[in-house]
Amino acid sequence: MLDVLLQRVLELGARQAGPGELSERAFLNGKLDLTQAEAIADLIQATTAAQVRLANRSLQGLFSGQVHALVEQLTRMRLLLEASLDFPDDELDELPIGDSNFEALIASTEALLASTQQGELIRDGLLVVIAGAPNAGKSSLLNALAGTDRAIVTAIPGTTRDLLQADIQIEGLPLRLVDTAGLRPSNDPIEQEGIRRARTQIQQADHLLLMVDDTEDQAHSSVQAQLTELALDPQVAVTILRNKIDRSGRRAGIRTNAEGRTELACSVLTAAGLDELRHHLKTVAGYQGAGAGSYSARRRHVEALRLSLEQMRQAQQRWTEQSALATPAVELVAEDLRMAQRLLGEITGEVTSDDLLGRIFSEFCIGK
């Protein structure tokens, strides 16, 4: 009935709203800034209580307020610097800003960046890929961490042929677990495709859990050979899981091996070491708890803050390395601070492009 009604309304000349159109209009009319508009989409897409809480805080303007506070600091410093350039005084002994201004600005930006990184982590979570040889216990681990029989588990090698996913959370930290086909030489075209997909997913992982059957392979050199053969991107963090210690006799626990890799001994069957694994995943992610990030944040926010911080540090370095009264040095410092302020403006939408807006609002549901 609703579909028939909608169709009739459209026939009479109405137009269906596009993705994010109402939020985009609110942004363009100055009712919301860009971080608040994005928070609407984050609130709709939230799947955990922590994500809902942080999206609400961003929608209320807490993130925007901290960005605007930094812009205020930058604006005052730029005003004083550029006034000294526009109205030079031969008798001026010092400029109206000093090291303390830079230190306070950089400290505030570093604190905001750290908080933003936590917000991004809670919003986007961590992609954790489980890989290894057939029958190492990959599918059993996925089931154990997800708390459900998501993957079929048999004693037959090569049971898993495709990628299997499960979304979980550890104390508010969202994780997407991906179980992959066992890595081994194969003439089976279906298994070969599964292995190809596994290798592609491994390269995209935030964290790789390389599972080893501890009853069959206790040599560090063999594990290192597997890692070398995978040719991992250096940014992919790796933890080696030595499974089946209930049969090998190894004690559960975490340690660093001879190659400097983190190894965690566990038994998926008895759950020994799985609590240590959960704690380890939080640690390597840098997760400080759902209350640590005060608002929902995105990768673009983190990147803009990081680049702005670089400009501030560059300005501070120019300031300390050159004479404070040298006009060329002051002009360069003022330009660094202008660029830092422009980057902060990209976060709230004061400085933006149509392409960026198009990408952001295309993620919204129809109308909202």
Side-chain angles (χ1 to χ4, degrees):
M1 184 62 185
L2 289 177
D3 289 340
V4 174
L5 179 61
L6 176 61
Q7 183 62 36
R8 181 56 181 157
V9 169
L10 294 175
E11 288 174 357
L12 292 173
R15 178 180 64 82
Q16 190 167 357
E21 184 169 338
L22 298 182
S23 298
E24 185 174 11
R25 286 187 180 187
F27 164 71
L28 294 175
N29 290 318
K31 304 298 184 182
L32 299 171
D33 67 27
L34 197 52
T35 60
Q36 290 174 301
E38 288 170 311
I40 295 173
D42 292 343
L43 187 59
I44 293 170
Q45 297 165 7
T47 57
T48 71
Q51 290 172 338
V52 169
R53 185 163 59 253
L54 300 195
N56 270 323
R57 291 175 182 171
S58 283
L59 185 55
Q60 292 165 8
L62 293 184
F63 185 17
S64 307
Q66 295 196 52
V67 174
H68 288 315
L70 286 179
V71 170
E72 279 295 316
Q73 287 182 265
L74 275 167
T75 301
R76 178 162 179 76
M77 290 175 68
R78 289 183 59 206
L79 176 65
L80 294 173
L81 276 177
E82 292 174 12
S84 70
L85 292 171
D86 292 338
F87 304 101
D89 187 340
D90 293 339
E91 297 180 359
L92 187 65
D93 293 325
E94 61 180 14
L95 288 171
I97 65 171
D99 293 337
S100 61
N101 298 93
F102 287 100
E103 290 167 1
L105 175 65
I106 289 172
S108 298
T109 307
E110 288 173 339
L112 182 56
L113 176 59
S115 188
T116 304
Q117 287 170 330
Q118 284 296 304
E120 185 213 2
L121 185 59
I122 293 171
R123 176 187 180 272
D124 295 339
L126 205 66
L127 176 61
V128 179
V129 176
I130 308 168
N135 276 13
K138 302 183 298 298
S139 297
S140 296
L141 178 64
L142 178 78
N143 289 343
L145 293 177
T148 183
D149 290 336
R150 179 71 180 83
I152 297 173
V153 177
T154 75
I156 303 171
T159 299
T160 301
R161 297 294 187 94
D162 205 349
L163 304 176
L164 294 174
Q165 298 183 355
D167 292 323
I168 69 169
Q169 59 170 310
I170 301 175
E171 297 179 13
L173 171 64
L175 295 177
R176 171 156 291 182
L177 301 175
V178 182
D179 179 24
T180 60
L183 302 175
R184 65 172 180 177
S186 174
N187 295 321
D188 183 336
I190 298 177
E191 188 173 8
Q192 287 177 348
E193 175 60 18
I195 293 170
R196 185 196 68 79
R197 294 185 183 188
R199 291 181 180 277
T200 299
Q201 192 69 54
I202 288 168
Q203 295 297 336
Q204 296 173 354
D206 295 315
H207 199 95
L208 173 66
L209 299 179
L210 180 63
M211 292 203 73
V212 177
D213 184 340
D214 201 46
T215 64
E216 297 180 358
D217 188 353
Q218 297 192 7
H220 294 303
S221 58
S222 176
V223 175
Q224 191 62 33
Q226 291 184 59
L227 291 168
T228 301
E229 197 273 334
L230 286 173
L232 295 173
D233 187 304
Q235 294 186 345
V236 178
V238 180
T239 299
I240 299 163
L241 294 187
R242 293 195 167 275
N243 187 30
K244 305 184 183 180
I245 60 171
D246 54 299
R247 293 164 54 189
S248 70
R250 190 191 298 267
R251 293 182 59 183
I254 191 168
R255 69 188 187 90
T256 303
N257 68 18
E259 287 78 27
R261 297 279 188 183
T262 300
E263 288 193 1
L264 195 153
C266 65
S267 169
V268 177
L269 181 64
T270 67
L274 293 191
D275 284 342
E276 288 91 336
L277 174 59
R278 294 183 180 93
H279 179 74
H280 173 65
L281 289 172
K282 290 192 302 177
T283 301
V284 296
Y287 183 60
Q288 298 174 11
S294 60
Y295 37 73
S296 180
R298 301 183 174 207
R299 167 52 46 184
R300 77 171 192 90
H301 303 151
V302 173
E303 188 64 12
L305 274 169
R306 185 186 64 79
L307 292 174
S308 182
L309 184 58
E310 286 183 3
Q311 292 291 150
M312 295 173 193
R313 287 172 174 161
Q314 181 168 286
Q316 183 186 40
Q317 184 176 358
R318 292 189 201 275
W319 183 266
T320 56
E321 288 182 353
Q322 302 183 51
S323 169
L325 296 179
T327 298
V330 175
E331 290 177 341
L332 290 173
V333 171
E335 177 62 15
D336 288 333
L337 295 181
R338 186 190 70 81
M339 289 299 299
Q341 184 171 338
R342 179 181 177 83
L343 287 161
L344 293 178
E346 291 179 1
I347 296 175
T348 56
E350 294 172 22
V351 178
T352 188
S353 66
D354 291 340
D355 288 343
L356 175 62
L357 293 180
R359 288 197 304 272
I360 290 174
F361 289 105
S362 67
E363 300 173 4
F364 284 57
C365 60
I366 297 298
K368 293 292 186 184

